[in-house]
Amino acid sequence: MNVSSLTEPDLKRRLAQHGIAIRTGAFVTHLQTAIPRVAEGIHLLYADFPLIEQGGFADFHVRLARPRNFRRWFKPQVLFLFDGDSTFKPLPLDQAFPMLEWGLNWCVSSHAHSYLMIHAAVIEKDGFAAMLPAPPGSGKSTLCAALVNRGWRLLSDELALVRLRDRKIMPLPRPISLKNASIDLLKRYEPRAILSREVADTMKGTVAHMKPPADSVARAMEAVPLAWVIFPKYQNGAATRLDMLPQSRALMRVADNAFNYSTLGADGFEALAGLLENAQCHDFSYSQLDEAVSAFAALKPATVLT
């Protein structure tokens, strides 16, 4: 049973009463909220995600609610509650759905230490993954959204989850976060993409989220090996350019983007070194999405070349 099997009114009712348990990759989140715009976002962007039977195990218990003070009526706000505790400062009520997305990222990055976790988008094609570690503003999510609309499978927009036992990347497909100018850019690039409504004046500017492809959601338990590490950088007017990068330098830069590299100690180093052992590493600059997508289409994994 998927979210799409519920009508929007039925979903709103369930969320407000007992909540729903929804699977995203390897994790189950129990979510409860009476905020209509969160229900609308779930109905639109999580339509293909499986629902889990109530009463079963959930990794994360999340509730979004209005504060029990005067801010329920004056410039209303929203709280993100994890196991009943308020985790972040309240945000304007209008930002409830983006807050859910940011909070779910926090749930995984703060607790899933059975994985090496790297701040990166990850996509897959023909059984091999490309990881795109990059800081905010580098064009990572825009490029990721363009690629998954041109045949690449979405593994994650934000978190690369590396299994410690075999160094394969575990998918965590969820809506792709787009910001500011990248929203209209993606709309022009792929008019059929399904986007949430835009929310202005957040801490990240104007944000919207793109629905992940149904095939990526259906294959969310298929882990894959890494073939490429590509550090993307959008530069206005820049030529599309892919430059080889030594693995030793790439390892240090990936470690800088890891959430728990130090926490895992020797296991983290061994996982990262093993992850990059057979990967080709590149710096990548671009300004045109069509050219960037063509450059990715020409990638060949080292295991095929040899």
Side-chain angles (χ1 to χ4, degrees):
M1 182 177 181
N2 292 342
V3 171
S4 61
S5 62
L6 301 177
T7 64
E8 188 169 326
D10 193 25
L11 177 64
K12 287 181 177 177
R13 180 181 57 77
R14 292 194 185 200
L15 281 168
Q17 293 179 351
H18 304 292
I20 62 171
I22 186 168
R23 175 173 288 283
T24 54
F27 308 102
V28 174
T29 299
H30 182 267
L31 173 64
Q32 187 177 18
T33 183
I35 298 174
R37 283 186 172 169
V38 175
E40 292 164 8
I42 295 290
H43 192 259
L44 177 67
L45 301 181
Y46 283 84
D48 302 310
F49 285 73
L51 292 170
I52 306 301
E53 187 177 349
Q54 288 288 357
F57 174 81
D59 297 276
F60 312 120
H61 292 264
V62 168
R63 186 163 69 92
L64 277 86
R66 298 187 183 198
R68 293 182 178 278
N69 57 29
F70 73 97
R71 296 304 294 266
R72 288 177 64 86
W73 300 278
F74 177 71
K75 294 184 178 179
Q77 295 179 318
V78 58
L79 292 169
F80 183 93
L81 303 164
F82 178 80
D83 284 346
D85 295 326
S86 180
T87 310
F88 310 106
K89 291 182 178 178
L91 292 179
L93 183 61
D94 189 51
Q95 300 180 21
F97 186 77
M99 189 181 205
L100 170 65
E101 289 298 310
W102 299 330
L104 292 179
N105 289 339
W106 173 87
C107 289
V108 177
S109 63
S110 299
H111 299 91
H113 295 299
S114 59
Y115 301 92
L116 173 65
M117 295 179 285
I118 300 163
H119 181 223
V122 198
I123 52 177
E124 176 267 343
K125 199 168 191 180
D126 297 330
F128 295 96
M131 183 169 67
L132 285 62
S138 60
K140 165 180 67 67
S141 294
T142 311
L143 180 57
C144 176
L147 289 165
V148 301
N149 278 293
R150 293 296 182 270
W152 290 75
R153 174 163 68 112
L154 174 68
L155 301 190
S156 178
D157 172 43
E158 283 290 331
L159 294 168
L161 302 180
V162 183
R163 287 198 309 214
L164 298 181
R165 60 183 166 84
D166 60 6
R167 280 70 160 164
K168 288 187 176 180
I169 297 181
M170 192 67 195
L172 183 61
R174 291 199 3 247
I176 296 176
S177 175
L178 298 169
K179 298 182 283 292
N180 302 316
S182 66
I183 300 170
D184 286 338
L185 182 63
L186 198 281
K187 287 179 178 177
R188 291 194 298 272
Y189 185 75
E190 181 47 74
R192 294 170 296 179
I194 297 175
L195 271 66
S196 67
R197 70 179 189 88
E198 298 178 20
V199 180
D201 299 324
T202 77
M203 59 185 176
K204 299 184 178 184
T206 298
V207 300
H209 289 82
M210 189 189 88
K211 183 184 178 185
D215 177 68
S216 298
V217 177
R219 298 173 60 193
M221 300 305 287
E222 297 180 22
V224 289
L226 182 72
W228 306 279
V229 179
I230 299 175
F231 297 92
K233 185 171 181 56
Y234 173 84
Q235 293 177 298
N236 189 28
T240 301
R241 182 168 173 171
L242 194 67
D243 296 318
M244 288 291 291
L245 190 66
Q247 285 182 331
S248 56
R249 287 180 57 192
L251 186 146
M252 298 307 297
R253 290 170 64 180
V254 174
D256 287 342
N257 283 279
F259 289 98
N260 59 344
Y261 176 71
S262 299
T263 302
L264 294 175
D267 288 342
F269 175 79
E270 291 176 5
L272 186 53
L275 178 71
L276 269 62
E277 185 177 9
N278 296 312
Q280 301 172 43
C281 305
H282 302 272
D283 274 321
F284 181 64
S285 57
Y286 75 100
S287 61
Q288 301 296 321
L289 283 178
D290 279 332
E291 293 182 10
V293 169
S294 295
F296 272 69
L299 293 171
K300 301 296 181 186
T303 51
V304 171
L305 294 175
T306 56

